Amino acid sequence: MYQYDEVDHRIVRERVAQFRDQTRRYLAGELSEDEFRPLRLMNGLYVQRHAPMLRVAIPYGHLRSGQLRKLADIARRYDKGYGHFTTRQNIQFNWPELARVPDILEELSTVEMHAIQTSGNCVRNTTTDAFAGVAGDELLDPRPWCEIIRQWSTLHPEFAFLPRKFKIAVSGSVEDRAATRVHDIGLHVVRSEAGEVGFRVMVGGGLGRTPIVGDVVKEFLPTPHLLTYLDAVLRVYNRFGRRDNKYKARIKILVKAMTVEGFAAKVEDEWLHIKGGPATLRDEDVAHYASFFTDPPYQALSASSEFAALLAQDKAFSRWAERNTRAHKRQGYRSVVLSLKRTGVPPGDISAEQMDAAAELADRFGFGELRVAHEQNLVLPDVPERDLHAVWQLARQHGFATPNIGLLTDIICCPGGDFCSLANARSIPVAEAIQRTFEDMDYLYDLGDIDCNFSGCMNACGHHHIGNIGILGVDKNGEEWYQITLGGSQGSATSIGKVIGPSFAQVDVPKAFTTIMGVYLEQRGAGERFIETVRRIGLDPFKERVYAKHH
């Protein structure tokens, strides 16, 4: 992982001191609410329904065990004993006291963490694959490039006040596990016909009120030109993006207005002025950042016969290993997903005790490293197969072993109306009701892979548009209702789900899900996944059954 140098430390310390003084002046009445708002947002501090919320940056989802322990300590001493992992691979604390937020930021600085640019109209946390560096289908480790982007974008004076927030995702593998196609900029590693590695650049993706799948503006960008090309894209957006209407300010609206071809031409014109300039990446620059992401000291392991025997003997362990572990690029290792989707706990929430336990698992069975997945789970990237049974047993003790990764109850979910002042409806109790409806693990396994995403409002923090089943909380005359979409997906075949019909009262959502699953089981072909069935038969069979009582 990247290690701070003295410049990094000084920047973060200075920002903490600045915000401490800004907070003091606000509390003393020397700064108005309007004056303080942009200052707090630049430091990740929101005003939520019940209390301030602090969003802490976890660059490209990477955590050292010591950092996770510090987050646990902060949760205990400054919050209510837990945090919430987001789809942007960050963590949120929902109950900090405003006067103590500068103290939290100072604590974070001691473990090379901060909350800079986790809010506001700037370049947000760059995200990537939670299995980066260990995935077998990887063409290029995206982590050094994420770090390069992070350092380029953090406190960039030209891009501190963009028309709207800006999000970048990088995928280095054949399979896109970073949802790159629904980001303002998506970077996908590709090889040219000559075998050169570069990036396919997609621009104008995004969810929210106007969900759009991004378009390719450059099929192949050689790696040395990454930053100059990103500069050109941001400059075009900064110049032409709308600032009169925040609902039309995202780059996706600009791209559609200009057309993809028109926007790409503007970028090329801008790029002519800076291509080959000081921001061009030299081989030694790339090597410097890559040096922080070398392989840990793996052992030469063969396939574990004990592991194979335990899989055959213990159905519960076998089920967990099937759903919650992934193949590793090194023989004898696997990556483990620690599920944060136990029924009765808000998806993505993690207690201070669980943070400490996960840090201990990372130290004991790995190399002291963890990943935050955008699906709101934690990942232990490097676990020897021989240790998987012990990891499973400890994960069960700490509430991490729900064997549902990729299944219907592995719900991506925003905090919703229980916390967020923007939400139209609560998401947490409805997500729990769905989980309880599908508690039968045999039935859940028979249903197979199904992505379920839930947002409490049109801001789409739960990425509901790209769930195979999406749920959106809507307001009807002051009452909470829920709209269901089908057919969304992420990855190489990214698609936006379509609304199946009128919204549902909260009590009727689980019933609608049960009906939808019934149609799927009746209609699916041999080995056909839910999303494949939806694409083949369309929405009408689901609509007819779900709304049958209204006909």
Side-chain angles (χ1 to χ4, degrees):
M1 295 179 64
Y2 178 75
Q3 305 290 311
Y4 278 20
D5 61 20
E6 180 49 38
V7 174
D8 298 310
H9 283 292
R10 186 171 71 248
I11 288 172
V12 174
R13 287 196 302 265
E14 288 176 354
R15 172 53 72 91
V16 172
Q18 287 172 351
F19 189 63
R20 186 179 295 281
D21 184 59
Q22 291 161 354
T23 303
R24 178 195 62 76
R25 287 188 285 147
Y26 170 70
L27 293 174
E30 298 171 17
L31 290 176
S32 69
E33 181 63 48
D34 287 343
E35 291 171 323
F36 186 58
R37 184 181 299 110
L39 302 176
R40 65 171 170 77
L41 288 175
M42 286 189 288
N43 291 279
L45 188 63
Y46 287 76
V47 174
Q48 295 285 74
R49 188 177 297 275
H50 305 294
M53 180 271 281
L54 179 66
R55 180 181 294 145
V56 177
I58 302 177
Y60 35 94
H62 274 228
L63 278 171
R64 295 192 295 273
S65 58
Q67 292 174 320
L68 188 54
R69 288 190 177 93
K70 173 58 71 175
L71 295 175
D73 181 52
I74 288 170
R76 287 192 185 92
R77 294 196 291 125
Y78 296 95
D79 206 274
K80 293 191 175 183
Y82 68 97
H84 174 77
F85 288 119
T86 75
T87 53
R88 206 114 216 102
Q89 298 179 308
N90 292 322
I91 190 169
Q92 295 179 173
F93 293 108
N94 288 305
W95 302 96
E97 180 186 345
L98 175 57
R100 302 185 76 191
V101 168
D103 296 331
I104 298 175
L105 297 180
E106 187 169 352
E107 296 262 10
L108 289 169
S109 72
T110 66
V111 292
E112 303 183 354
M113 298 186 76
H114 59 72
I116 298 169
Q117 291 183 202
T118 58
S119 180
N121 295 334
C122 57
V123 180
R124 301 286 185 88
N125 187 39
T126 298
T127 57
T128 192
D129 180 4
F131 302 97
V134 300
D137 65 338
E138 196 165 80
L139 299 174
L140 183 72
D141 188 342
R143 296 173 298 169
W145 302 96
C146 290
E147 179 58 30
I148 288 169
I149 294 169
R150 185 188 74 84
Q151 295 206 20
W152 160 79
S153 62
T154 301
L155 303 180
H156 194 307
E158 192 174 349
F159 307 136
F161 297 98
L162 294 167
R164 199 71 172 88
K165 58 187 176 182
F166 202 90
K167 301 176 181 180
I168 301 173
V170 187
S171 175
S173 300
V174 173
E175 180 186 349
D176 179 7
R177 291 179 289 270
T180 60
R181 296 166 193 269
V182 287
H183 279 73
D184 298 293
I185 294 178
L187 299 170
H188 207 149
V189 173
V190 292
R191 287 190 185 274
S192 69
E193 292 183 1
E196 182 185 4
V197 174
F199 295 100
R200 178 184 296 120
V201 183
M202 294 161 284
V203 174
L207 302 177
R209 292 177 179 271
T210 310
I212 295 175
V213 176
D215 291 297
V216 176
V217 295
K218 198 164 193 64
E219 280 289 353
F220 186 82
L221 176 69
T223 55
H225 300 300
L226 174 64
L227 294 187
T228 57
Y229 194 82
L230 293 182
D231 259 319
V233 172
L234 265 295
R235 285 183 177 187
V236 171
Y237 173 50
N238 215 7
R239 179 181 177 188
F240 295 104
R242 292 186 62 170
R243 295 177 185 269
D244 61 325
N245 185 332
K246 72 176 184 178
Y247 300 117
K248 297 182 179 181
R250 296 293 292 269
I251 193 172
K252 60 189 178 184
I253 305 299
L254 178 63
V255 172
K256 290 300 178 186
M258 284 186 166
T259 74
V260 177
E261 296 77 15
F263 181 85
K266 289 284 189 186
V267 172
E268 291 292 330
D269 288 344
E270 182 64 37
W271 195 34
L272 285 175
H273 300 289
I274 53 179
K275 182 180 180 181
T280 303
L281 295 166
R282 303 167 300 173
D283 289 345
E284 53 265 41
D285 298 324
V286 177
H288 170 73
Y289 290 104
S291 70
F292 293 98
F293 301 94
T294 55
D295 283 347
Y298 292 124
Q299 301 175 47
L301 301 176
S302 57
S304 171
S305 58
E306 181 182 357
F307 171 59
L310 286 168
L311 289 177
Q313 296 167 10
D314 191 329
K315 181 181 178 182
F317 173 60
S318 176
R319 191 170 254 177
W320 174 83
E322 176 191 349
R323 298 308 315 188
N324 294 42
T325 74
R326 283 188 61 98
H328 196 283
K329 69 178 183 180
R330 294 292 292 261
Q331 185 178 17
Y333 286 87
R334 291 188 76 82
S335 297
V336 171
V337 183
L338 301 176
S339 173
L340 299 182
K341 309 299 174 62
R342 181 176 52 165
T343 301
V345 177
D349 274 14
I350 183 170
S351 70
E353 292 72 25
Q354 286 181 310
M355 292 186 215
D356 282 333
E360 178 61 26
L361 287 172
D363 284 338
R364 183 174 169 187
F365 299 104
F367 300 98
E369 181 188 338
L370 304 100
R371 315 283 181 83
V372 182
H374 82 87
E375 293 89 356
Q376 300 175 289
N377 294 306
L378 280 177
V379 174
L380 302 174
D382 307 292
V383 179
E385 286 184 351
R386 67 190 180 204
D387 294 328
L388 284 173
H389 194 265
V391 169
W392 171 62
Q393 290 177 314
L394 290 168
R396 293 174 79 185
Q397 292 178 24
H398 296 290
F400 288 134
T402 307
N404 65 343
I405 301 303
L407 300 177
L408 182 59
T409 58
D410 183 18
I411 300 174
I412 292 175
C413 185
C414 73
D418 287 301
F419 295 96
C420 182
S421 56
L422 299 177
N424 294 316
R426 292 177 296 166
S427 52
I428 293 171
V430 181
E432 180 180 346
I434 294 167
Q435 289 173 325
R436 294 196 183 282
T437 300
F438 296 91
E439 283 186 313
D440 185 326
M441 294 304 295
D442 289 328
Y443 182 59
L444 196 61
Y445 271 69
D446 186 37
L447 293 173
D449 292 335
I450 302 175
D451 295 333
C452 178
N453 296 26
F454 197 154
S455 299
C457 75
M458 282 302 298
N459 285 301
C461 294
H463 294 183
H464 67 278
H465 296 104
I466 55 172
N468 301 162
I469 303 180
I471 313 173
L472 170 66
V474 295
D475 180 289
K476 283 190 177 182
N477 301 318
E479 296 183 353
E480 298 178 357
W481 288 74
Y482 299 87
Q483 193 178 76
I484 292 178
T485 60
L486 294 180
S489 67
Q490 63 179 51
S492 300
T494 298
S495 59
I496 303 299
K498 296 181 179 179
V499 178
I500 64 170
S503 54
F504 298 86
Q506 179 176 325
V507 68
D508 294 325
V509 174
K511 300 175 188 176
F513 266 62
T514 300
T515 302
I516 290 168
M517 291 303 108
V519 174
Y520 164 55
L521 291 177
E522 291 175 8
Q523 297 286 339
R524 68 179 175 183
E528 194 172 53
R529 293 181 298 125
F530 177 79
I531 185 62
E532 294 166 342
T533 301
V534 173
R535 287 171 176 163
R536 178 173 57 81
I537 69 174
L539 300 190
D540 286 345
F542 296 97
K543 289 181 182 180
E544 290 169 5
R545 189 76 62 84
V546 168
Y547 297 104
K549 65 182 180 181
H550 300 302
H551 295 302

